[in-house]
Amino acid sequence: MKLSEIVEKLQLEVMCGRESLDQEIERGFAGDLMSDVIANARPKDIWVTMQVHMNVVAITGMKETGAVVFTQGRIPLPETLRKAENEDAVLLGTGLTAFELVGRLYRLGITG
Amino acid sequence: MLSRYKMDLHNHTCLSPCGDAGMIPQNILRAAVEKGIGVIGITDHNSVENVSAVKRAAEDFDISVIGGMEVTTQEEIHVLVFFDDDKGLLDFQELIYANLHGSNRPEYFGNQWVVDFEGGVLDLNPRLLIGAVTIGIREVEREAHLRGGLVIAAHADKTAFSIISQLGFIPPDVALDAVELSPFFRTDGNESWVKELPAVTFSDAHYLQEIGRAWIEAYVGAPTAAELKLALGGEKGRRFTACC
């Protein structure tokens, strides 16, 4: 499914990377421990997390995940946004909990 | 006889992937001396490999150095550990490296320069220093103490990589010597963990201009981790006050 379609259907806030929404998302990964994400996330995953620090951007670049979604209305730190802008990362936000968001993604056909 | 020392013990060098390239020994010491710091701690992520260079450089400055590192535990808690002797430092380093897996990707995380006392590049550390070790906070605390170390939970008030953000509370069986608070921490009076442990403030500098933005004043017999431990516990007349 196109990332832009996911953003529209789940009404996600686009915090960074609006020009990169025209990409296919195949699967998803949820995780707040960076070591877990480094070990287990895959390219083109949509990554669901409540962590908003700068390392999230470095890891999404390294793992080539398609986008990051911050849950529960968490606002990225200013340095996180700056780094994301420099590195063309896609940062999205939602007020939903991870559980709720992952459920809705699954209903759209995005599996683990 | 006790003397008063202004200590800023949480500082990164160019070895930390997130540390600025300008954080080389002489620059760090010059900046610290300008801020009136008498004892500086060197705490790179999961590595002590620039400690000896800073100690060597300090021979030309009026400042003491305490070597240590900022460990990232399995729970992704940042913990500061300090050792007075090289054996403790190197021994603990060996334990950490044996439990730290993966390779650095400088294009994402930054370069990890190992330097000499003049800032000349000796090596690029290839390990994933930003990563977490595969041993938890209890074991890190125990192993550091076994080697005569001082153990302080880093920036305990922060919402990432702190013992509070990762565990929710400080487990009673983790024998911390103190908690560190961020330079800009303001209490709302509800943080019970602040009252239960000695609270110190250090700068967590990644850039030269951040050195000395937070510190403690310690009244101790010598500028060492062992003496600071006494001060944290209020033992043998040693004591300390935090700047903020």
Side-chain angles (χ1 to χ4, degrees):
Chain A
M1 176 176 278
K2 278 269 192 288
L3 181 56
S4 53
E5 203 179 331
I6 297 173
V7 166
E8 192 192 320
K9 287 193 165 145
L10 300 183
Q11 295 180 311
L12 304 178
E13 181 190 347
V14 181
M15 295 166 166
C16 187
R18 185 169 292 282
E19 60 291 338
S20 305
L21 299 181
D22 185 37
Q23 55 171 304
E24 280 294 323
I25 294 293
E26 301 179 345
R27 298 173 299 193
F29 187 82
D32 299 326
L33 266 189
M34 297 304 111
S35 50
D36 179 36
V37 180
I38 288 174
N40 296 313
R42 299 147 304 191
K44 298 189 185 174
D45 275 353
I46 188 165
W47 170 20
V48 178
T49 186
M50 66 184 300
Q51 296 287 2
V52 291
H53 54 71
M54 210 162 64
N55 290 2
V56 169
V57 178
I59 291 167
T60 191
M62 182 179 77
K63 300 301 291 188
E64 300 175 355
T65 62
V68 184
V69 193
F70 301 123
T71 54
Q72 291 179 264
R74 301 257 290 190
I75 312 276
L77 302 173
E79 61 263 32
T80 305
L81 278 176
R82 269 199 302 277
K83 189 172 168 71
E85 278 159 18
N86 289 338
E87 300 182 11
D88 298 326
V90 181
L91 302 185
L92 308 170
T94 179
L96 299 173
T97 63
F99 187 91
E100 187 65 31
L101 177 67
V102 169
R104 294 186 193 190
L105 283 166
Y106 218 93
R107 222 184 305 165
L108 292 180
I110 307 295
T111 58
Chain B
M1 203 181 87
L2 302 185
S3 304
R4 188 180 69 173
Y5 293 93
K6 196 167 163 180
M7 301 184 170
D8 179 7
L9 299 189
H10 187 172
N11 296 282
H12 293 267
T13 77
C14 52
L15 173 59
S16 292
C18 44
D20 188 59
M23 292 291 268
I24 58 174
Q26 292 165 336
N27 288 353
I28 291 170
L29 296 171
R30 201 172 295 115
V33 169
E34 278 172 14
K35 294 278 177 69
I37 300 298
V39 185
I40 189 151
I42 298 300
T43 51
D44 284 305
H45 290 295
N46 294 317
S47 183
V48 302
E49 288 192 54
N50 274 349
V51 168
S52 59
V54 179
K55 283 185 175 172
R56 165 69 184 82
E59 291 169 13
D60 302 326
F61 290 83
D62 186 19
I63 192 167
S64 300
V65 178
I66 298 180
M69 70 167 78
E70 184 175 26
V71 181
T72 304
T73 71
Q74 188 165 44
E75 307 92 338
E76 300 190 347
I77 300 165
H78 285 182
V79 184
L80 302 171
V81 297
F82 300 95
F83 300 90
D84 286 322
D85 62 320
D86 290 344
K87 184 176 182 321
L89 276 174
L90 297 176
D91 208 37
F92 192 77
Q93 176 75 89
E94 202 174 306
L95 171 77
I96 291 302
Y97 279 174
N99 290 284
L100 179 66
H101 309 292
S103 302
N104 188 34
R105 298 279 299 275
E107 67 273 35
Y108 297 110
F109 298 116
N111 288 311
Q112 301 178 162
W113 309 106
V114 180
V115 296
D116 64 18
F117 78 103
E118 294 177 307
V121 176
L122 298 174
D123 198 6
L124 270 173
N125 186 306
R127 297 171 192 271
L128 186 62
L129 296 184
I130 201 84
V133 296
T134 50
I135 53 178
I137 176 89
R138 281 182 188 78
E139 199 171 345
V140 167
E141 173 265 302
R142 201 166 50 238
E143 295 290 338
H145 279 142
L146 275 175
R147 292 164 175 80
L150 179 72
V151 182
I152 299 176
H155 40 66
D157 53 302
K158 282 181 75 171
T159 55
F161 299 114
S162 80
I163 191 164
I164 299 301
S165 77
Q166 302 308 100
L167 298 185
F169 62 94
I170 298 174
D173 58 342
V174 176
L176 298 172
D177 295 303
V179 292
E180 180 207 35
L181 303 176
S182 303
F184 308 111
F185 175 71
R186 295 289 174 272
T187 180
D188 63 9
N190 291 322
E191 302 90 350
S192 59
W193 43 272
V194 172
K195 295 172 203 141
E196 285 161 10
L197 283 164
V200 297
T201 44
F202 300 133
S203 67
D204 192 6
H206 290 73
Y207 295 85
L208 288 170
Q209 64 268 26
E210 294 172 345
I211 293 171
R213 66 180 171 176
W215 68 89
I216 60 171
E217 274 189 348
Y219 298 82
V220 288
T224 63
E227 280 284 323
L228 176 57
K229 187 166 184 149
L230 294 175
L232 293 171
E235 294 171 51
K236 296 186 179 171
R238 276 74 171 163
R239 58 198 165 88
F240 80 101
T241 54
C243 76
C244 27

